[in-house]
Amino acid sequence: MKVFVALDFGSAGPALEAARALAPLGVGFKVGLELFTAAGPAVVRDVQALGGPVFLDLKLHDIPNTVGGAARAAAALGVGWLTVHASAGPAAMRAAVEAAPGVGLLGVTVLTSLGEDDLAALGVTRGVAEQVRALGLAAVAAGCRGVVCSPREVALLRAALPAGAIVLATGVRPAGVAAGDQARVGTPRETVAAGADMVVVGRAVTAAADPVAACRAVLAEVAEAARQWLN
Ligand code: C5P
C-alpha cells in the first residue's frame, strides 16, 4: 500500500520543505498542476532526489498527439506515475501508453470534486458511479496501469476492473478533517477496506498544524486497515 502526499504548493520552497520533513516516513510525493506550472521539471528532480517514485499528476486532456508528447516528456523526467483524463478518449490514452512505456499511466475517472449535480450540468445524466465505471474500463482497455477515483468508487472499480489494475483514491480525509472543495471523500480506513492499492492525501497532511504527526496518523490508519483487509 503506497501513500502519496500531494505537494499542492505555489512554489518550490515550501513544497520541498514539506517533502524533506515527510520523506523519512516513507511516503511518495505527488506533483500536480499548481507546483509543476510554478516550478517545472526542476522541482520534480528535487523531489526525486529525496528517494521514491514521483507521481506527476498533470491530468493530461488533449488530442492524442499532444498527450503522447507530454507523456514522452514525463517519461524522460523519470517519473513513476502519470495521470491522463480518461475522458480525453481511448486514442489519447493509448498515445500516452505507447509514448511512456516505463511510466505507470493512470486514467482519471471523475474528479473527486464533482457531484451528481455537476455531472448533470455537464450533460452527463447517468450518475457518478456509472460514469466512473465506464471511464475506468475505458482507461484499462486503452492500456493504462490503473485508474484514479474517489474513495466512494474504489469498491465498484475493484469489482469491475481486471485483477492487477491499480486503483488509486484521492479525496482521502481522516475523520474530522474538512472536505474543502472535495465532494466525494472517505477516510483512509474506508478507502483501504474498499480495496484501494494507493491513496493520495493532500491538505489533510500539508495544511495540518503538525504535518509529520498528521501523516503518521494517516499511515497508521492505512496500515491497520490493510492488516485487517489481508486477514
Ligand atoms: O488536498 P486534497 O487531499 O483534497 O488533495 C487531493 C489531491 O488529489 C489534489 O492534488 C488533486 O489534484 C488530486 N486529485 C483529485 N481528484 C482526482 C484526481 C486527483 O482530487 N480525481
Side-chain angles (χ1 to χ4, degrees):
M1 163 62 60
K2 189 72 189 165
V3 174
F4 287 92
V5 174
L7 298 173
D8 291 328
F9 293 94
S11 63
L16 291 171
E17 191 184 323
R20 279 191 201 103
L22 296 168
L25 303 186
V27 293
F29 295 106
K30 185 173 87 67
V31 174
L33 287 172
E34 182 183 4
L35 184 59
F36 193 74
T37 304
V43 77
V44 173
R45 293 195 190 95
D46 288 343
V47 175
Q48 282 169 328
L50 297 172
V54 165
F55 173 6
L56 188 58
D57 186 20
L58 295 185
K59 296 193 182 68
L60 304 173
H61 191 295
D62 212 315
I63 60 171
N65 186 57
T66 304
V67 168
R72 190 171 300 112
L77 256 180
V79 301
W81 301 93
L82 175 71
T83 45
V84 55
H85 270 287
S87 53
M93 289 190 281
R94 275 199 304 274
V97 169
E98 281 160 20
V103 178
L105 256 297
L106 298 175
V108 177
T109 56
V110 174
L111 292 173
T112 41
S113 54
L114 300 177
E116 304 273 346
D117 292 350
D118 299 305
L119 286 193
L122 297 173
V124 178
T125 51
R126 60 179 165 182
V128 170
E130 279 311 303
Q131 184 71 354
V132 166
R133 182 182 288 110
L135 291 173
L137 286 168
V140 172
C144 288
R145 278 281 285 118
V147 298
V148 181
C149 64
S150 93
R152 305 202 188 164
E153 289 94 35
V154 169
L156 83 85
L157 283 171
R158 186 87 280 159
L161 298 180
I166 298 282
V167 177
L168 178 143
T170 71
V172 175
R173 295 282 179 281
V177 173
D181 58 353
Q182 300 284 28
R184 308 190 327 278
V185 298
T187 65
R189 191 184 316 278
E190 289 162 349
T191 309
V192 174
D197 302 290
M198 310 199 286
V199 299
V200 170
V201 280
R203 290 161 290 184
V205 166
T206 54
D210 183 344
V212 171
C215 193
R216 274 192 213 286
V218 168
L219 289 171
E221 190 175 328
V222 163
E224 200 210 315
R227 260 196 309 278
Q228 286 174 1
W229 168 250
L230 285 174
N231 287 336

